Amino acid sequence: MKIGVPKEIKTAEARVAITPAGVEAFVKNGHEVYIEKDAGIGSGITDEEYVKAGAKILSTAKEVFDVADMIMKVKEPQPSEYDYFKEGQVLFTYLHLAPDKQQTEALLRKKVVGIAYETVQLDNGALPLLTPMSEVAGRMSVTIGAYLLTNINEGRGIVMGGVPGVEPAEVVIIGGGTVGTNAAKVAVGMGARVTILDVNPARLAYLDDIFGGRVTTLMSNSFNIAQSVKKADLLIGAVLIPGAKAPKLVTEEMVKTMKKGAVIVDVAIDQGGCIETCDRTTSHKDPYFIKHGVVHYSVPNIPGAVPRTSTFALTNVTLPYALEIANKGYKKALLENKALLKGLNVYKGMVTYKPVADAQGLEYVDPIDALNKE
């Protein structure tokens, strides 16, 4: 199989979908890897390192798309890339289609085989290709929040851990999954007072156990969310329903009760956001806006700010699945691997992931039925 890796072009995105070790693994399995010039520079990987591992370097993204059977990316394709796709081409990347009708329509029109990292799911519910980026985003959400709380960013002008004689910041985390847990680790380490809300009592019990009582756990409901939001200096949205639009759990009225200069970091923004006032995405170059006196940060690719860590963490988990697709062919790989099959979001003009179909009012086709239609 011919694997193509274009350079990421989303604003301030410097990750890359493959490392030299990944190139070597593909080549040893009899495949060819084509990488756009300088695709790895932002992650500290040179073209020479890729060539040494067996890759071929091409000058433009179009050349990469033209030659490839499977395109590997990090972020969803941007509008300028839509026309590069060809029918039956495999796209293996983060897609986040539910809130993005334009992208969905483009992939359907081009009859792409779109496999989304974020919906590959194991039998136990784990999301192996989302987990490392959730870990990065969770940890960064607190350090970002701490920086935005400074007065130079229009924040409240407070230190997360306080100092002797001065109380620490109140950090409220909505969602106790991977993002929320990693955010709590950093916030606790910085000395903040931390509250985590989640709908799963078993998860709350787990969090209470691993943090040894150093965090407050609350059942997530509208009353508790409203009370917690009001006291928060830093509010982190960490809600995830795999592949679906995030529910708006924090309303605009709740945000209006927050302290002037408090900070919101909505990590769920790549799935539409779970905080109502995060009504637009921002970028690493222009990361926040003020609404109702509250600093809002809604960058959808938080891990892109630390591309070297993120690239290596991501490719550690994506490579085995990508090799399976290349070695078996996408159809056999999908039919034999249930976790990978759940990653199939669009297939040759059909929507094969129900939360995406539901979010956009499109017809849903069972992925096995879609694959067996040919």
Side-chain angles (χ1 to χ4, degrees):
M1 182 177 279
K2 294 177 180 178
I3 316 301
V5 180
K7 187 174 183 177
E8 297 294 324
I9 60 172
K10 193 179 179 82
T11 303
E13 178 56 70
R15 287 174 288 180
V16 65
I18 199 167
T19 61
V23 171
E24 186 176 274
F26 276 117
V27 172
K28 282 185 175 179
N29 279 268
H31 308 296
E32 298 174 29
V33 182
Y34 297 86
I35 299 176
E36 185 180 353
K37 183 179 179 352
D38 293 336
I41 290 297
S43 295
I45 305 170
T46 65
D47 289 346
E48 289 73 22
E49 289 176 274
Y50 283 131
V51 170
K52 190 175 179 181
K56 296 177 180 67
I57 305 299
L58 299 177
S59 298
T60 66
K62 186 177 187 306
E63 289 177 85
V64 172
F65 277 83
D66 282 348
V67 75
D69 303 308
M70 175 165 70
I71 293 290
M72 290 186 68
K73 284 178 47 56
V74 178
K75 291 305 293 179
E76 71 281 356
Q78 301 301 294
S80 63
E81 296 173 304
Y82 294 164
D83 285 340
Y84 295 159
F85 286 104
K86 52 194 178 187
E87 183 173 342
Q89 195 167 44
V90 177
L91 171 62
F92 194 33
T93 188
Y94 288 117
L95 290 176
H96 300 295
L97 288 178
D100 190 349
K101 190 154 191 176
Q102 181 188 14
Q103 185 198 169
T104 304
E105 289 173 346
L107 297 182
L108 292 174
R109 184 173 66 252
K110 288 291 186 174
K111 297 188 176 180
V112 168
V113 179
I115 304 171
Y117 291 162
E118 73 273 11
T119 66
V120 173
Q121 189 170 21
L122 303 177
D123 286 342
N124 65 1
L127 302 164
L129 307 190
L130 188 61
T131 295
M133 294 303 92
S134 295
E135 291 168 343
V136 172
R139 295 180 187 205
M140 286 187 65
S141 67
V142 178
T143 57
I144 289 164
Y147 179 62
L148 293 178
L149 277 169
T150 61
N151 181 257
I152 58 174
N153 293 301
E154 303 182 67
R156 295 198 70 218
I158 60 176
V159 172
M160 289 288 284
V163 294
V166 181
E167 63 183 5
E170 292 275 359
V171 176
V172 173
I173 303 167
I174 301 178
T178 303
V179 169
T181 301
N182 279 272
K185 286 179 182 177
V186 174
V188 167
M190 294 177 78
R193 283 200 291 253
V194 180
T195 300
I196 306 175
L197 297 96
D198 199 275
V199 293
N200 185 341
R203 186 66 184 180
L204 293 177
Y206 167 78
L207 293 168
D208 182 70
D209 183 44
I210 65 168
F211 284 107
R214 290 177 295 165
V215 302
T216 298
T217 57
L218 285 177
M219 183 58 64
S220 183
N221 55 51
S222 57
F223 180 85
N224 285 342
I225 290 173
Q227 295 298 308
S228 300
V229 166
K230 187 176 182 180
K231 72 175 185 179
D233 295 303
L234 171 59
L235 173 64
I236 296 172
V239 175
L240 174 70
I241 300 174
K245 286 185 75 171
K248 302 292 185 187
L249 299 182
V250 177
T251 66
E252 186 164 6
E253 292 306 309
M254 293 179 191
V255 172
K256 287 179 180 178
T257 70
M258 295 180 74
K259 307 163 190 172
K260 180 176 173 56
V263 172
I264 291 172
V265 177
D266 194 348
V267 183
I269 195 67
D270 55 8
Q271 289 293 143
C274 64
I275 295 162
E276 191 173 28
T277 48
C278 283
D279 52 6
R280 62 184 183 272
T281 59
T282 58
S283 73
H284 288 298
K285 291 185 176 178
D286 185 18
Y288 70 87
F289 60 91
I290 310 296
K291 193 167 188 177
H292 304 308
V294 176
V295 182
H296 289 64
Y297 179 98
S298 52
V299 174
N301 61 326
I302 292 174
V306 286
R308 187 164 177 88
T309 295
S310 297
T311 286
F312 282 86
L314 178 61
T315 57
N316 283 342
V317 294
T318 57
L319 181 60
Y321 289 93
L323 275 171
E324 190 171 350
I325 294 168
N327 289 340
K328 295 180 177 179
Y330 71 80
K331 186 175 288 190
K332 191 169 190 284
L334 287 164
L335 290 172
E336 292 183 358
N337 187 328
K338 288 192 295 182
L340 190 61
L341 184 65
K342 288 185 178 178
L344 186 63
N345 278 215
V346 290
Y347 182 75
K348 297 187 178 180
M350 296 172 277
V351 178
T352 52
Y353 194 72
K354 196 168 189 307
V356 172
D358 290 346
Q360 299 186 15
L362 297 171
E363 181 185 354
Y364 165 70
V365 179
D366 182 274
I368 292 178
D369 291 343
L371 289 165
N372 288 328
K373 277 189 176 182
E374 293 180 302

